[in-house]
Amino acid sequence: MHTIDSKALERAVHDIIFAGREFSSRGWTPATSSNFSVRLSPELLAVTVSGKDKGALTPSDVMVVDMAGAPVNDTRRPSAETLLHCHAYRSRPDLGAVVHTHSLAQTIVSKLFAEQGYVELGDYELLKAFSGTATHETSIRIPVFANTQDMQALATRIGEHEKSSPIPHGYLIDGHGIYTWGKDMSEARRQLDAFEFLFQCELELRKLRR
Ligand SMILES: [Zn+2]
């Protein structure tokens, strides 16, 4: 039997609704896609329910699930991709928030680099937005995984990848979108913002260098 910390849930709901409005206003959550979560305790997380316009979320659009993705005191369905959120929290005990969006740049970059299997972002000042990075003189590698509707299989594939190559900041799914995270929602939002900007840089550079 799980006990839900009502204060933590209230804060999580606020953070999720705020993030939804921001990401939606920037066009990153088309057609009810995308999902967000916040950790409530070592065993529980608050996550968006399935569907819903992410720019118009209300407190009733957020539900509590355990780390296996099972609803707690709720009969509704969580977001289809909840298992990927659970996987991120289970493998990173310090994680406080996970965000997943489907922006144009994220989707195009995922397709462009799917065959290579990763995107390399190097020598950008904005790399300092990623936790643990203090200089532009570096590069980070974001893996691109093949898309599937089988979230259990995808979580397993990501886990296998992490055994040999840790994924510190996030990953892309081919033709789909990005997952990134942080110790809290503000760090997750900052990383997502940085990814979005750097992906747009890569796409513009590609056009200009032709
Ligand atoms: Zn998605």
Side-chain angles (χ1 to χ4, degrees), residues 33-35 81 100-102 173 176-177 179:
S33 68
S34 309
N35 37 71
E81 296 168 40
H100 166 58
T101 53
H102 292 210
I173 307 174
H176 182 161
Y179 273 83

Side-chain angles (χ1 to χ4, degrees), residues 95-110:
L95 220 61
V98 176
V99 291
H100 166 58
T101 53
H102 292 210
S103 81
L104 189 66
Q106 293 153 16
T107 308
I108 295 172
V109 163
S110 73

Side-chain angles (χ1 to χ4, degrees), residues 80-181:
E81 296 168 40
T82 296
L83 280 181
L84 299 182
H85 290 252
C86 297
H87 174 82
Y89 290 111
R90 284 202 308 264
S91 46
R92 296 170 188 79
D94 58 334
L95 220 61
V98 176
V99 291
H100 166 58
T101 53
H102 292 210
S103 81
L104 189 66
Q106 293 153 16
T107 308
I108 295 172
V109 163
S110 73
K111 286 178 95 72
L112 272 178
F113 292 89
E115 200 177 321
Q116 178 169 286
Y118 61 86
V119 186
E120 188 105 26
L121 299 170
D123 301 310
Y124 284 109
E125 178 68 13
L126 210 62
L127 288 172
K128 286 156 61 184
F130 294 101
S131 306
T133 308
T135 173
H136 67 283
E137 291 175 311
T138 186
S139 70
I140 63 169
R141 193 172 269 204
I142 302 98
V144 185
F145 295 100
N147 199 14
T148 171
Q149 299 306 314
D150 184 343
M151 292 306 141
Q152 188 64 62
L154 185 50
T156 303
R157 209 182 312 145
I158 293 164
E160 284 299 318
H161 178 99
E162 287 170 322
K163 282 183 193 162
S164 56
S165 317
I167 307 176
H169 307 298
Y171 57 82
L172 285 161
I173 307 174
D174 184 9
H176 182 161
I178 192 168
Y179 273 83
T180 185
W181 42 68

